[in-house]
Amino acid sequence: MKYETIIGIEIHCELKTKTKMFSGAPTSFGEVANTCVNEIDLGHPGTLPCVNKEAVRLAILAATALKCEIDPLVKFDRKNYYYSDLPKGYQITQQFHPIGRGGVITIDTEQGKKDIRINRMHMEEDTAKQFHSDAGTLIDFNRAGTPLIEIVSEPDIRSGAEAAAYVEKLRSILYYLGVSDVKMEEGSMRCDVNVSIRPMGSDTFGTKTEVKNLNSISNVQKAIDAEVARQIEIVESGERVIQATRRYDETTKSTILMRKKEGNVDYKFFPDPNITPIRLDDAWIREIQENMEELPDERKARYQSSYGLNDYDADVLVANRELSNFFDEVVKYTENYKKAANWVIVEVVAALNKANIKVKDNPCKPQHLADMINMVDKGEISGKQAKVVFEEIMLGKDPKQVVEEKGMKQMSDTSALLEIITTVLDNNPQSIEDFKNGKDRAVGFLVGQVMKASKGQANPAMTNKLIQEELAKR
């Protein structure tokens, strides 16, 4: 029997704010445990939450980019449950009034483009982080209260590959907006997937399982593929899939049971009495939306329409916002867009990787790279010389100064070149004879002799042309 996979994804994404969702404590990653926390985060009696305006702004940006309908009434609710990582005994979230409803993300699949619908997007606070060992459990409250958005998809995803494409596309959008660091390895973006199977052609959902806390895009696909295979094996053996929460084990490449679910948990949601409903000003929402950063799809389209880049080059640039921003600065000073893309994608990236330098710390100035490209196009330096100049501009040097210091400026003066060419021809009569006998490689030899005589400064293309003209005269 053939089966259809049904997948829905819940993504928790930490917002890039300086302080927490409802307190003035700083947000952090990697700080000493329990040093970025205050009384509100710890749920001390008598403390009151205060909504972080910047978190709301970032949530509006995200909701707009996902084409959600924005609710101008901001209301928060209490989700009541007790875990040791939740000091208040409840989590402040948006159950009844999510800031965004509806929406869509378009992904690329082997069958073409596909729309994945967004059910809702809401704001909430993060929980503390627990560290389990045989000796007991340690808790770091630094993460408690960190602003989150939770983005819930509709069950429109049909494979692990589609799920990975969806998460990657969402990650890219939030990254470009500056809404979040989206560093899955640091937990600033976490992914839970709901997976079920059903006979192909059926319109009834099967029993779903939830795979929690996937920490990389590759693991999203691997976990789904493993869970689908497990469920198919259960069904084909005549047994029944049990609703449960599972995790992905990278070592065994399988999903492991965490806990069974007998039914939906009743969290006893009710409006948080300490946070007054906030009516957002329409003009403020419009201002946020009108000043949005260019999104990845828009940037790729611009690269292809304005600069004539192919799919591959545009994709590589757009995948790294800092690299893409650097390219945008380079093309302000040169019209050779293809060559600029090649230098940025290949040479700049290789040089930065070799020196272990991040793109944001790139010592090469965009105008310097553009000037070097223009010098090659004008015939002022050769492509071989450009490699030497590039090494220097990656140290922050001006290419014009480098060319001057190294005496690299290419000879493009016809009379000066002819003087050298005449001497070379006079000294190599055998090459002239070889050329007349149809041996084309003689021209290459003569060009090499001119380059040697000019200390590499002769314009190669012009030299080749002038040599052939002079040979024709002899």
Side-chain angles (χ1 to χ4, degrees):
M1 180 183 291
K2 290 188 176 181
Y3 297 92
E4 182 179 36
T5 303
I6 308 296
I7 303 164
I9 298 183
E10 300 168 7
I11 290 180
H12 291 83
C13 187
E14 291 182 355
L15 297 175
K16 198 174 179 179
T17 59
K18 293 180 180 179
T19 56
K20 295 186 179 180
M21 189 71 223
F22 301 108
S23 83
T27 54
S28 67
F29 176 80
E31 297 294 330
V32 176
N34 297 311
T35 58
C36 300
V37 65
N38 67 13
E39 297 86 347
I40 294 174
D41 308 320
L42 296 175
H44 284 195
T47 58
L48 294 172
C50 181
V51 177
N52 186 328
K53 182 178 179 180
E54 176 64 6
V56 177
R57 187 186 75 84
L58 295 177
I60 290 171
L61 279 176
T64 302
L66 301 180
K67 300 180 176 63
C68 294
E69 180 183 346
I70 293 173
D71 190 339
L73 182 63
V74 174
K75 294 181 72 174
F76 288 93
D77 309 293
R78 290 187 180 182
K79 181 180 183 180
N80 296 276
Y81 63 99
Y82 180 77
Y83 283 142
S84 53
D85 61 1
L86 200 65
K88 295 191 295 288
Y90 62 86
Q91 180 186 36
I92 302 177
T93 184
Q94 288 187 304
Q95 174 66 14
F96 304 116
H97 286 268
I99 194 161
R101 289 186 186 273
V104 67
I105 290 180
T106 303
I107 63 171
D108 292 313
T109 72
E110 292 182 354
Q111 291 74 40
K113 294 191 178 298
K114 178 177 179 178
D115 288 343
I116 307 298
R117 294 171 298 156
I118 304 295
N119 177 280
R120 58 184 280 146
M121 190 199 86
H122 61 265
M123 296 180 286
E124 61 187 21
E125 59 180 343
D126 209 345
T127 59
K129 190 170 184 179
Q130 300 185 97
F131 299 87
H132 304 290
S133 70
D134 293 339
T137 297
L138 299 176
I139 304 177
D140 180 6
F141 288 101
N142 281 353
R143 198 177 71 181
T146 298
L148 290 177
I149 50 174
E150 180 175 352
I151 301 164
V152 182
S153 81
E154 296 286 2
D156 293 343
I157 301 167
R158 294 293 176 266
S159 69
E162 285 187 7
Y166 169 83
V167 176
E168 174 58 40
K169 187 63 170 290
L170 182 56
R171 190 204 69 84
S172 178
I173 290 171
L174 299 178
Y175 164 63
Y176 262 79
L177 289 173
V179 164
S180 172
D181 288 332
V182 293
K183 295 178 180 178
M184 297 185 76
E185 69 279 8
E186 293 183 3
S188 59
M189 182 172 169
R190 307 194 291 278
C191 186
D192 303 334
V193 297
N194 294 298
V195 183
S196 66
I197 61 170
R198 66 186 180 189
M200 192 66 72
S202 172
D203 57 3
T204 303
F205 288 128
T207 301
K208 69 179 180 182
T209 58
E210 182 180 31
V211 185
K212 296 282 285 185
N213 295 329
L214 296 167
N215 61 359
S216 73
I217 292 173
S218 64
N219 277 353
V220 169
Q221 181 167 353
K222 291 174 184 176
I224 290 171
D225 291 345
E227 179 58 16
V228 169
R230 187 189 73 87
Q231 290 189 21
I232 290 175
E233 185 178 351
I234 289 172
V235 171
E236 292 193 338
S237 67
E239 298 181 13
R240 185 169 57 90
V241 175
I242 304 298
Q243 187 175 353
T245 299
R246 306 180 70 86
R247 65 177 178 84
Y248 179 65
D249 187 282
E250 293 186 59
T251 304
T252 62
K253 294 181 172 50
S254 62
T255 63
I256 308 297
L257 178 67
M258 293 173 66
R259 56 184 177 269
K260 293 182 179 179
K261 288 186 176 182
E262 298 302 330
N264 293 326
V265 179
D266 185 359
Y267 291 110
K268 298 290 192 297
F269 288 103
F270 64 85
D272 191 302
N274 292 330
I275 304 178
T276 304
I278 302 167
R279 172 69 66 175
L280 300 180
D281 183 66
D282 290 341
W284 185 61
I285 295 175
R286 283 197 304 274
E287 180 186 355
I288 293 169
Q289 294 173 328
E290 289 169 0
N291 289 282
M292 281 180 61
E293 292 285 334
E294 183 181 43
L295 295 174
D297 283 353
E298 296 168 356
R299 185 168 291 199
K300 179 180 177 180
R302 174 167 63 83
Y303 283 171
Q304 293 183 306
S305 63
S306 299
Y307 303 142
L309 300 189
N310 58 34
D311 265 345
Y312 176 80
D313 288 349
D315 283 337
V316 171
L317 286 170
V318 169
N320 186 313
R321 186 180 62 182
E322 284 82 9
L323 193 69
S324 179
N325 289 344
F326 178 77
F327 172 76
D328 279 343
E329 290 300 311
V330 172
V331 294
K332 288 180 180 179
Y333 305 101
T334 181
E335 293 182 359
N336 196 330
Y337 308 127
K338 176 61 178 173
K339 191 174 287 186
N342 287 341
W343 276 98
V344 171
I345 290 169
V346 180
E347 304 297 342
V348 171
V349 169
L352 292 175
N353 288 340
K354 184 178 179 180
N356 197 26
I357 298 173
K358 294 180 179 178
V359 176
K360 66 182 181 66
D361 299 322
N362 183 6
C364 176
K365 295 181 180 178
Q367 186 170 354
H368 286 172
L369 181 59
D371 287 345
M372 186 199 75
I373 291 168
N374 292 337
M375 291 169 79
V376 175
D377 287 346
K378 292 175 183 176
E380 295 176 4
I381 59 173
S382 67
K384 187 175 181 180
Q385 288 174 321
K387 295 282 187 180
V388 178
V389 174
F390 177 72
E391 291 181 2
E392 299 294 318
I393 67 175
M394 283 304 296
L395 298 174
K397 294 184 180 180
D398 186 322
K400 294 175 183 176
Q401 182 181 347
V402 174
V403 168
E404 190 70 32
E405 289 175 353
K406 293 184 178 293
M408 283 184 171
K409 193 151 187 180
Q410 200 160 262
M411 289 176 58
S412 296
D413 179 78
T414 303
S415 58
L417 280 174
L418 281 173
E419 187 176 333
I420 297 174
I421 289 169
T422 299
T423 301
V424 168
L425 291 176
D426 290 344
N427 292 336
N428 293 277
Q430 184 59 49
S431 293
I432 298 173
E433 191 66 29
D434 289 344
F435 175 77
K436 289 181 177 180
N437 291 331
K439 296 180 180 179
D440 292 338
R441 65 175 180 274
V443 175
F445 171 77
L446 292 169
V447 169
Q449 293 302 302
V450 172
M451 295 301 293
K452 184 177 180 180
S454 67
K455 297 180 180 179
Q457 291 180 271
N459 183 315
M462 187 175 289
T463 297
N464 190 301
K465 178 173 178 291
L466 290 173
I467 284 176
Q468 296 202 48
E469 290 175 356
E470 289 302 304
L471 285 170
K473 296 176 184 177
R474 297 199 178 202

